[in-house]
């Protein structure tokens, strides 16, 4: 997943077991280089809901400038669906940070 085109763009993947604060981390702060930038009222989006929107042609949610698009519960999707979602988000990652949260590492196919 290499899509970085500028500051605050590209992909960020956080993998940790349940209860370790993945969603809280992504909703409250974003690492930028060696610093952490705090965000107010950032909302995470369940991976399954974003995939359903993408497949039905509904536009992806608008993202505030400098705020990441947070995709939560990526591990709840089968690997093929994870890949479909990531491909659908690739254009977003060209202009915005896309932060993915998963309980398990992604498969090599994704």
């Amino acid at each position: 997943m290499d899509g970085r085109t500028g500051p605050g763009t590209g992909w960020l993947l956080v993998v940790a077991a349940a209860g370790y604060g993945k969603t809280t981390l992504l909703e409250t702060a974003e690492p930028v280089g060696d610093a952490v930038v705090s965000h107010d009222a950032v909302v995470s989006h369940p991976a399954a809901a974003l995939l359903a929107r993408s497949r039905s042609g509904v536009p992806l949610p608008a993202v505030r400038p400098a705020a990441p698009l947070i995709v939560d519960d990526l591990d709840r999707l089968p690997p093929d669906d994870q890949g479909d979602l990531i491909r659908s988000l690739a254009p977003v990652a060209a202009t915005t940070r896309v932060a993915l949260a998963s309980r398990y590492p992604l498969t090599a196919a994704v």
Side-chain angles (χ1 to χ4, degrees):
M1 287 190 293
D2 183 16
R4 185 171 289 274
T5 59
T9 65
W11 302 94
L12 174 68
L13 174 62
V14 176
V15 178
Y20 278 80
K22 296 176 296 295
T23 303
T24 301
L25 170 70
L26 293 175
E27 287 181 349
T28 58
E30 176 188 9
V32 177
D34 294 331
V36 174
V37 178
S38 294
H39 299 287
D40 295 325
V42 173
V43 177
S44 62
H45 302 278
L50 286 179
L51 181 62
R53 286 179 79 146
S54 173
R55 287 183 172 166
S56 66
V58 175
L60 294 171
V63 179
R64 289 182 339 180
L69 173 62
I70 299 172
V71 181
D72 205 2
D73 300 325
L74 190 61
D75 54 281
R76 293 186 182 184
L77 297 178
D80 287 346
D81 288 350
Q82 290 175 0
D84 288 349
L85 178 59
I86 289 171
R87 282 186 289 283
S88 75
L89 293 174
V92 176
T95 59
T96 303
R97 168 85 65 203
V98 177
L100 308 170
S102 178
R103 290 182 182 180
Y104 310 105
L106 303 182
T107 65
V110 175

